[in-house]
């Protein structure tokens, strides 16, 4: 898929993004360790269905925004998504897909800025309210070893800056059998930039470090961490080595009525690369539902 790079100008930040196609916009938010271009195989199907795909770089994940990471909390990223949606469609909500960190972005947008979301899809991560219980599972605590590692200043940086083997390991264990191909090069290049890598680590540290939370957005937590009023489609990979599908069993407790939770067969964490056709069908059916 041949993306063009564009800039989405908002009142919060100018966001570099990859874009392709014509028609109603679908905004796609990536996660870690990832790059917007991995939405390419999914975008092929969406563009063929008459949609325009816009995949922004998360704040701090592009050289243009490298120095714009004062705050790195999840609500900051959701506020970014709301600003992007308003810039692309001032008078109506947009369709949106979020993967990994991007899943939290879309879910929290649905909670605090529902008018900016027409239909939303989250992939590979349960909704915010359903996340805390899974942290009590010792097996999941082990799968999240990287999250704990990333809390250690200098140690995490040293591990990831010395080489990118940990990134390759995460990809291999999260989507077993997937060959990232050209995407591996893009991901390595992105996180090969020490500033962008450290920005990604700040997002993980923002889960626990309140100094990374924007105090002006703090009051929104009552809505972003609660079940949203907007129904969402939540997709889990049957073979996900990061968050396995059994941890989506209670996802409905964090979702609005009318939401749907589906498990994608023969897919891991990077399900949009494992099974782009299946994911596209589920997404397009959801977008077209009444």
């Amino acid at each position: 898929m041949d993306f063009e790079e564009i800039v989405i100008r908002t009142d919060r930040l100018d966001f570099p993004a990859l874009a392709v196609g014509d028609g109603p916009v679908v905004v796609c938010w990536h996660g870690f360790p990832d790059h917007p271009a991995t939405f390419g195989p999914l975008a092929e199907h969406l563009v063929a269905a008459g949609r325009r795909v816009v995949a922004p770089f998360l704040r701090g994940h592009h050289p243009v925004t490298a120095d714009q990471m004062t705050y790195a909390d999840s609500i900051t990223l959701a506020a970014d998504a709301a600003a992007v949606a308003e810039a692309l469609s001032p008078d109506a909500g947009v369709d949106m897909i979020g993967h990994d960190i991007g899943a939290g972005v879309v879910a929290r947008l649905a909670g605090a800025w529902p008018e900016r979301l027409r239909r939303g899809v989250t992939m590979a991560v349960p909704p915010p309210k359903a996340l805390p219980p899974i942290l009590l599972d010792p097996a999941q605590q082990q799968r999240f070893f990287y999250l704990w590692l990333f809390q250690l200043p200098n140690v995490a940086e040293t591990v990831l800056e010395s080489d990118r083997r940990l990134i390759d390991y995460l990809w291999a264990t999260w989507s077993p059998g997937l060959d990232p191909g050209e995407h591996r090069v893009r991901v390595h290049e992105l996180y090969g930039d020490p500033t962008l890598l450290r920005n990604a680590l700040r997002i993980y540290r923002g889960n626990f470090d309140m100094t990374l939370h924007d105090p002006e957005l703090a009051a929104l937590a009552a809505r972003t961490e609660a079940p949203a009023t907007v129904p969402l489609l939540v997709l889990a990979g049957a073979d996900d080595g990061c968050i396995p599908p059994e941890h989506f069993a209670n996802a409905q407790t964090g979702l609005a009525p009318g939401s749907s939770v589906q498990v994608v067969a023969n897919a891991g964490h990077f399900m949009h690369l494992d099974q782009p056709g299946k994911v596209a069908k589920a997404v397009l059916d959801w977008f077209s539902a009444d």
Side-chain angles (χ1 to χ4, degrees):
M1 178 57 64
D2 295 325
F3 286 106
E4 63 170 326
E5 185 162 323
I6 64 171
V7 175
I8 305 167
R9 305 197 183 281
T10 81
D11 59 1
R12 288 179 58 80
L13 191 68
D14 290 344
F15 289 90
L18 303 183
V20 65
D22 296 299
V25 170
V26 180
V27 179
C28 299
W29 290 98
H30 68 91
F32 174 90
D34 209 349
H35 187 286
T38 62
F39 283 109
L42 177 60
E44 290 185 14
H45 295 274
L46 300 182
V47 169
R51 307 302 297 265
R52 176 169 173 79
V53 175
V54 177
F57 288 81
L58 288 170
R59 173 186 292 265
H61 281 63
H62 187 283
V64 171
T65 64
D67 61 348
Q68 300 295 315
M69 204 73 176
T70 302
Y71 300 110
D73 59 297
S74 57
I75 303 178
T76 287
L77 301 182
D80 289 346
V84 166
E86 182 177 13
L88 294 174
S89 180
D91 300 321
V94 301
D95 291 330
M96 197 172 288
I97 300 170
H99 174 254
D100 190 79
I101 291 172
V105 169
V106 174
R108 291 179 173 92
L109 170 76
W113 296 272
E115 71 281 4
R116 294 297 166 204
L117 187 66
R118 196 191 75 87
R119 301 286 280 180
V121 179
T122 65
M123 302 192 296
V125 176
K129 186 176 176 59
L131 273 174
I134 78 173
L135 294 175
L136 301 177
D137 175 16
Q140 188 59 45
Q141 293 168 9
Q142 184 178 41
R143 294 186 197 98
F144 277 166
F145 78 93
Y146 64 95
L147 191 154
W148 320 128
L149 170 65
F150 291 171
Q151 304 309 309
L152 302 175
N154 299 321
V155 175
E157 285 85 347
T158 298
V159 168
L160 287 165
E161 289 177 12
S162 61
D163 59 52
R164 253 66 67 196
R165 282 184 295 171
L166 177 56
I167 288 174
D168 289 341
Y169 176 81
L170 295 178
W171 272 71
T173 54
W174 291 359
S175 268
L178 173 66
D179 178 5
E182 62 184 352
H183 299 300
R184 180 179 182 273
V185 176
R186 292 191 181 99
V187 170
H188 277 232
E189 288 178 349
L190 194 159
Y191 297 106
D193 182 322
T195 301
L196 304 188
L197 172 61
R198 289 169 186 245
N199 284 341
L201 292 175
R202 287 171 67 81
I203 291 177
Y204 282 94
R205 291 168 184 165
N207 290 320
F208 306 100
D209 183 350
M210 296 302 294
T211 67
L212 294 175
H213 289 216
D214 186 344
E216 294 187 3
L217 300 177
L220 294 173
R223 284 186 283 165
T224 61
E225 309 311 300
T229 58
V230 178
L232 297 173
L233 170 63
V234 177
L235 299 179
D239 306 318
D240 193 330
C242 180
I243 305 179
E246 58 262 31
H247 284 313
F248 289 77
N250 296 319
Q252 290 285 2
T253 63
L255 296 169
S259 298
S260 177
V261 180
Q262 300 179 21
V263 177
V264 182
N266 301 313
H269 193 72
F270 297 95
M271 64 188 75
H272 50 306
L273 290 176
D274 286 310
Q275 296 290 343
K278 288 182 180 179
V279 171
K281 183 180 186 310
V283 165
L284 290 168
D285 287 349
W286 182 252
F287 287 164
S288 64
D290 293 333

